[in-house]
Amino acid sequence: MTAMTPEPVTPSTSAPIVMPRSQAIRDLTAPGQLYALEDAQVGSRSLRVFSNAPASLRAMFEAAATDLPFLAYHDERLSFNQAWAAASRIGHLLVHDCGVQPGDRVAISMRNYPEWVLAFTAVTSIGAVAVAMNAHWQTEEMVYALHDSGATVLFADAERLDRLAQAEPLPGLQVLAVRPAAALSPGVRRLSDLVAAVGDVAMPPVTIAQDDPATILYTSGSTGHPKGVVSSHRNILSALLSWELDRAIAERCAGIVPAVPDEQPGTLLAVPLFHVTGLHASYLSCYRAQRRLVAMHRWDADAAAALIDRERLGSLIAPAAMTGDLVRVALSGRHDLSTLLVLGGGGAPRAPEQVRQIGASFANAMPGTGWGMTETNAIGAGIGGEDYLTHPASSGRCAQVLQLKVVDELGAELPVGQRGELLVRGSSVFAGYWNRPEVNAQAFDGDWFRTGDVALFDDEGFVYIVDRIKDLIIRGGENIGCGQVEAALLLHPEVMEAAVYAVPDERLGEEVGATVYASAALDIDALREFLAGHLARFELPRHIVLAHEPLPRTPSGKILKRQIRDAALAGIAPTGGAPAGAPGVA
């Protein structure tokens, strides 16, 4: 679950004109307006689209290339113009040296270095598809995604290069090293040397259609390998403009007349760019707003507060575990956080108590959050400010370019107040998973995408996410497929059966728990060491319960996971989360 509340503006001194929400929506989306909406046929889908959306991500990047400060990482600084020029050199390299053509997949696997942003800009601006790989992945998962996506080029930093070196060479894959820490493996080339040799060049010309694919982001499912979510330029831009529209609606409803801010706004990039929270809500939303982006190497709440203080940042979008950390730092009074206006949520729901703490702990910051998915490009429903304080358990109201409905097991739409599966359709919703037609057939009901979340609406149109149908654990904003962890457990020769489930955790929301039926010779520490070679750190079970007899099953043979989980939870002490593998920058 991920969403953001757009950064607010300073109210002007003009007399406020408060209007009903319905009127604000009508006025802002009418023909001729900046956020005008129209009906369009996109393939087989009838969608509501923005009439004035940029033609592509490239068009947005080019239009935003100004001399204003843009990207900061430690002492490194780039303006929007400098970032576009640097990305153009990478684009030239990809086309003329690496032979990348429109539609080719180019993978990015690294921390939130400036090169991540520059590579993404270049890849999507030459009509190729950026494969944003989870930087927590170990060797097996990296190799799977590279094979699955058919990537021809990989940008990788030192940590990812080390993991890739443990695998057999991938035929046809060109590897470009970003900030390597050691001698390079044969065939791997240093990106900085290559772009230095290119010189000042223009971004290679290319024609990009709105519905051409732009990204593949992998998301964990309840079973098997992660699935590649393919999003088009239209999908992504619809989400970005939707947040802008949400902000404009909120201003009209509150009677706020936007005024030019006293200083350039800025946001803290504290979550990984391979998530839509980091990629869309933190990074891509900066272009049209001309907002500075200050990147962290890894999450540290005190360091984050120091950056907000020093850089005078106005917003942070992060999972509940991270915003909870920042609340505790704010209460210490060690840093001036008065410039912070928005503390947005993403990745996992907040406890209502944290919502109230945010409202009470910061001089000016208001909380915001919402519901969205990788498959919806981070939007769905959103809520912020006073609405959030009065509806702290809600994910907000539906975005204007989407439709949401709650259905029963037979697919019939349910009335207000009744819970069922949440379905979504609209212009930000992806068209399908990469090379997974059998999964797409199950995931879609016509144009409607089955979210796997259980929800209900209240009579004001606020949506509440109350449960999950999918067998997923959400640990600090990271989706973890129980089936994938179970498969890794069953690879161990001493493990005969395994059940993986969520364990409540005060800081991270949920932790990974596992009950295994294994031989008497199984050593738990050795099992953990074995799993570290097959799973990312955040996927590793923190709690492992050893069963001395076969796991209970239904008459049809299905493991009774709820019964197993309840029995395990009775013997597991409540926890506050583990530092290792905590959410934040990879």
Side-chain angles (χ1 to χ4, degrees):
M1 183 172 82
T2 180
M4 65 169 284
T5 299
E7 192 165 340
V9 296
T10 305
S12 78
T13 56
S14 303
I17 302 175
V18 180
M19 66 174 60
R21 177 178 171 83
S22 57
Q23 182 183 340
I25 293 170
R26 284 196 305 272
D27 290 352
L28 288 164
T29 61
Q33 298 301 307
L34 178 61
Y35 299 110
L37 292 172
E38 59 181 302
D39 294 327
Q41 194 69 25
V42 179
S44 62
R45 299 192 294 173
S46 179
L47 303 176
R48 203 175 189 207
V49 303
F50 286 104
S51 306
N52 301 314
S56 65
L57 289 173
R58 174 175 177 150
M60 182 182 75
F61 299 145
E62 287 182 299
T66 70
D67 289 326
L68 283 174
F70 168 42
L71 186 58
Y73 178 76
H74 294 305
D75 295 330
E76 302 172 41
R77 306 276 161 159
L78 291 171
S79 69
F80 284 96
N81 258 332
Q82 289 169 329
W84 176 248
S88 296
R89 289 190 283 273
I90 296 175
H92 182 94
L93 172 71
L94 289 172
V95 171
H96 297 288
D97 184 304
C98 301
V100 174
Q101 300 292 318
D104 287 351
R105 276 76 62 207
V106 177
I108 306 171
S109 184
M110 66 179 89
R111 290 184 181 273
N112 284 359
Y113 292 127
E115 289 88 346
W116 204 111
V117 170
L118 301 176
F120 181 90
T121 303
V123 173
T124 54
S125 293
I126 62 172
V129 181
V131 181
M133 292 176 60
N134 189 318
H136 295 302
W137 281 343
Q138 298 302 308
T139 303
E140 288 183 12
E141 294 162 306
M142 288 184 67
V143 170
Y144 169 78
L146 290 168
H147 272 304
D148 182 66
S149 66
T152 58
V153 180
L154 167 67
F155 293 89
D157 64 7
E159 294 164 277
R160 267 41 67 173
L161 290 171
D162 288 344
R163 293 173 195 173
L164 193 65
Q166 300 172 34
E168 293 293 324
L170 298 174
L173 179 68
Q174 302 176 70
V175 182
L176 304 180
V178 174
R179 306 184 186 225
L184 300 179
S185 301
V188 177
R189 298 184 291 168
R190 189 185 298 264
L191 176 64
S192 58
D193 292 343
L194 296 171
V195 294
V198 168
D200 291 330
V201 292
M203 186 71 76
V206 67
T207 300
I208 302 172
Q210 282 189 317
D211 297 303
D212 286 347
T215 60
I216 297 177
L217 274 66
Y218 280 86
T219 182
S220 294
S222 57
T223 59
H225 289 293
K227 302 185 294 293
V229 175
V230 185
S231 291
S232 68
H233 292 259
R234 187 197 301 274
N235 293 152
I236 297 168
L237 289 163
S238 294
L240 301 182
L241 269 67
S242 179
W243 282 317
E244 294 177 19
L245 175 57
D246 284 346
R247 168 184 169 174
I249 292 169
E251 289 169 347
R252 292 285 183 99
C253 292
I256 295 174
V257 179
V260 177
D262 295 333
E263 57 188 323
Q264 184 189 10
T267 193
L268 182 64
L269 175 61
V271 294
L273 284 163
F274 56 78
H275 281 312
V276 286
T277 303
L279 177 57
H280 295 40
S282 299
Y283 155 44
L284 291 175
S285 64
C286 287
Y287 284 94
R288 285 167 55 93
Q290 292 285 278
R291 190 163 56 232
R292 291 176 297 127
L293 183 68
V294 179
M296 295 187 72
H297 184 70
R298 69 167 68 240
W299 175 249
D300 177 278
D302 199 69
L307 277 172
I308 292 167
D309 185 353
R310 187 181 77 222
E311 300 284 347
R312 297 185 57 78
L313 301 178
S315 60
L316 167 66
I317 299 98
M322 294 167 64
T323 55
D325 292 344
L326 196 63
V327 166
R328 287 185 283 275
V329 173
L331 292 173
S332 73
R334 292 192 298 270
H335 303 282
D336 179 4
L337 303 180
S338 60
T339 60
L340 192 64
L341 301 178
V342 167
L343 203 55
R350 283 193 182 106
E353 179 56 30
Q354 188 184 124
V355 179
R356 289 186 282 269
Q357 287 175 345
I358 291 171
S361 303
F362 295 88
N364 298 307
M366 292 292 278
T369 193
W371 170 89
M373 308 173 70
T374 305
E375 290 88 343
T376 67
N377 284 280
I379 67 168
I383 189 170
E386 291 297 334
D387 274 347
Y388 196 15
L389 293 175
T390 55
H391 301 79
S394 174
S395 295
R397 292 185 172 104
C398 183
Q400 298 306 306
V401 292
L402 298 177
Q403 291 176 275
L404 296 173
K405 69 177 180 179
V406 173
V407 301
D408 63 17
E409 293 180 354
L410 299 177
E413 188 167 358
L414 292 170
V416 165
Q418 291 193 26
R419 59 176 61 193
E421 184 177 10
L422 185 66
L423 273 60
V424 58
R425 70 177 177 186
S427 59
S428 77
V429 179
F430 79 133
Y433 296 106
W434 178 256
N435 288 338
R436 302 291 284 272
E438 74 290 349
V439 178
N440 292 334
Q442 296 179 350
F444 285 90
D445 180 6
D447 290 346
W448 292 92
F449 175 67
R450 301 179 183 276
T451 69
D453 286 323
V454 178
L456 60 85
F457 285 96
D458 68 12
D459 54 10
E460 296 180 86
F462 289 97
V463 64
Y464 295 77
I465 309 298
V466 295
D467 202 351
R468 287 196 303 277
I469 297 172
K470 296 177 181 177
D471 197 9
L472 283 177
I473 298 167
I474 301 181
R475 180 191 184 274
E478 290 279 4
N479 282 3
I480 301 169
C482 294
Q484 187 171 349
V485 180
E486 288 165 353
L489 285 162
L490 292 170
L491 288 174
H492 193 283
E494 303 296 334
V495 175
M496 292 171 278
E497 292 182 326
V500 172
Y501 41 80
V503 176
D505 183 271
E506 182 180 343
R507 177 173 179 270
L508 298 173
E510 293 177 337
E511 264 286 7
V512 183
T515 297
V516 297
Y517 170 52
S519 71
L522 177 69
D523 179 84
I524 296 295
D525 290 335
L527 176 59
R528 293 184 189 279
E529 185 176 347
F530 171 84
L531 292 173
H534 297 273
L535 297 170
R537 289 178 64 200
F538 69 89
E539 296 172 320
L540 296 173
R542 182 166 187 209
H543 308 279
I544 299 179
V545 177
L546 184 60
H548 300 291
E549 55 188 28
L551 301 183
R553 294 177 179 268
T554 66
S556 63
K558 185 177 181 180
I559 287 178
L560 291 167
K561 188 171 291 189
R562 185 178 294 275
Q563 177 181 325
I564 293 167
R565 176 179 180 270
D566 290 346
L569 292 182
I572 295 175
T575 66
V585 176

